[in-house]
Amino acid sequence: MTSVGVLGATGAVGQRFIQLLDGHPDFDLSVLTASPASAGERYRDAAKWRLDTPIPDDVADITVRDTDPDAIPDDTDLLFSALPSDVGERVEPALCEAGFVVSSNSSNARVADDVPLVIPEVNADHLELIDVQREERGWDGALVKNPNCSTITMVPTLTALTQFGLERVHVSTLQAVSGAGYSGVTSMEILDNVVPHIGGEEAKMETESRKLLGEFTGDGVSWLDATVSASCNRVPTLDGHLENVFVETSEDVTPEDVAGAFEDAPTLDLPSAPDPLVEVFEEPDRPQPRLDRMLGDGMAVAAGGIQETDTGIQYNCLAHNTIRGAAGASLLNGELLARDGWL
């Protein structure tokens, strides 16, 4: 078994990591870290557990450690990071320098030149950037990122359409409140309301998607040469980001072509990988968050409403933002790192 830990284990994404790692066939969760205020406590006492399944028995009594390289056992093979980005920016490089491999959900360094930003079904070859990273930074460890929760909803569908020559993409998102964390949006802000702004979200979608769809060149990534623009909105659903995507391609395509490309999206033989990756609905009113966010145990992307427009193709897509869009994405990257011998 591979020994793993969770950084930032008491927060919302940290809790989701613990839930997803419970009973994992390859990973043994033995290390939990949090802020100094929680260090030294049993996990059951340090975390205000908010998920709909109980804290796993073998995790509840683990003593929480400080998020510091000196506090983590040297034989920990892989660390999953649910740290806030300001903490991750400081702590993750120190952990990598100390020899740890970190699969991180934090937003810091996602578009850094030598940091792999990976969706395993999309661009697994970008892990080769680890060699560049280690040479440039002198690390024995490594830092790998998964993209933003809204980006990861859209990009698997865009990957399927690259064969038709992507030229322009516009996306308008309807994002669940859990994407802001438990205390991120108050009930007075979101009930009977839509908030047409999510700070930094649009820039993340516009940059991360082009890096993910770029080509690994041997010493870096050549980003996709296409225009991506985003409009991001917070809506009063609990989980599941729904997105309206408008795509222009160099080739003429039909809705049938698009549906077929989605259905042919690749799958992987990894414990957390869904099959199919993209579930296609013929109904014009699907996917919907409440009905479809748990497809593939929350790791699949749902697509539907595919239709022609005056300029190209429009469709809707949906993914569970704290599973596929956060902890599950990082977990899948960890499984890829283990399978391909990077640990």
Side-chain angles (χ1 to χ4, degrees):
M1 295 285 282
T2 300
S3 175
V4 304
V6 174
L7 312 174
T10 58
V13 176
Q15 292 182 23
R16 187 68 80 178
F17 270 121
I18 289 168
Q19 183 188 56
L20 295 176
L21 285 164
D22 185 32
H24 194 280
D26 301 324
F27 293 157
D28 176 34
L29 177 58
S30 57
V31 175
L32 304 176
T33 82
S35 68
S38 298
E41 295 187 53
R42 295 183 306 168
Y43 185 73
R44 69 167 77 247
D45 300 321
K48 188 171 183 179
W49 190 258
R50 300 188 186 278
L51 298 183
D52 56 2
T53 57
I55 300 175
D57 291 338
D58 56 352
V59 173
D61 290 324
I62 292 178
T63 299
V64 176
R65 300 169 184 264
D66 192 9
T67 306
D68 182 275
D70 293 334
I72 299 173
D74 292 339
D75 60 356
T76 307
D77 300 305
L78 176 63
L79 295 171
F80 294 107
S81 176
L83 297 171
S85 59
D86 58 336
V87 179
E89 186 173 21
R90 171 177 53 84
V91 172
E92 290 174 353
L95 289 163
C96 297
E97 188 173 4
F100 295 104
V101 177
V102 180
S103 177
S104 172
N105 180 66
S106 301
S107 63
N108 54 289
R110 282 181 182 150
V111 294
D113 289 343
D114 63 347
V115 174
L117 179 69
V118 175
I119 300 173
E121 298 97 335
V122 171
N123 63 333
D125 63 318
H126 287 202
L127 284 185
E128 299 292 332
L129 269 177
I130 291 174
D131 287 332
V132 177
Q133 183 187 97
R134 286 172 169 168
E135 181 176 353
E136 290 185 347
R137 304 197 187 203
W139 289 350
D140 292 324
L143 179 61
V144 175
K145 295 284 177 173
N146 58 267
N148 175 266
C149 52
S150 52
T151 305
I152 204 170
T153 300
M154 174 179 71
V155 166
T157 63
L158 294 182
T159 304
L161 302 182
T162 56
Q163 62 187 294
F164 305 119
L166 284 180
E167 292 187 337
R168 296 177 189 83
V169 178
H170 177 74
V171 56
S172 180
T173 71
L174 298 93
Q175 296 183 220
V177 293
S178 59
Y182 189 82
S183 302
V185 184
T186 68
S187 59
M188 288 295 288
E189 287 179 279
I190 199 64
L191 290 177
D192 189 33
N193 200 24
V194 171
V195 181
H197 174 72
I198 304 174
E201 198 83 358
E202 292 161 357
K204 291 174 185 176
M205 294 194 75
E206 292 165 358
T207 55
E208 293 175 10
S209 58
R210 294 178 56 229
K211 182 178 181 181
L212 286 158
L213 295 170
E215 181 182 354
F216 177 65
T217 63
D219 58 0
V221 174
S222 176
W223 290 22
L224 177 72
D225 183 16
T227 300
V228 181
S229 56
S231 171
C232 296
N233 307 275
R234 188 74 70 192
V235 299
T237 51
L238 291 178
D239 295 304
H241 288 354
L242 178 64
E243 301 178 359
N244 311 130
V245 185
F246 299 79
V247 176
E248 297 178 41
T249 58
S250 58
E251 297 182 19
D252 291 334
V253 294
T254 66
E256 292 74 23
D257 295 330
V258 172
F262 289 167
E263 290 169 348
D264 290 339
T267 59
L268 295 176
D269 185 19
L270 294 171
S272 299
D275 187 6
L277 170 60
V278 181
E279 183 112 8
V280 180
F281 288 92
E282 295 182 359
E283 298 92 331
D285 62 347
R286 299 286 286 276
Q288 297 178 22
R290 191 171 62 188
L291 299 179
D292 303 315
R293 60 194 170 207
M294 287 305 297
L295 289 172
D297 294 327
M299 289 293 287
V301 175
I306 306 169
Q307 57 187 309
E308 293 185 69
T309 70
D310 290 341
T311 58
I313 290 290
Q314 191 271 323
Y315 61 90
N316 308 314
C317 57
L318 167 81
H320 196 299
N321 54 293
T322 67
I323 301 180
R324 184 73 212 212
S330 190
L331 175 60
L332 193 60
N333 279 350
E335 293 170 354
L336 182 65
L337 286 162
R339 186 198 72 179
D340 289 357
W342 290 105
L343 303 185

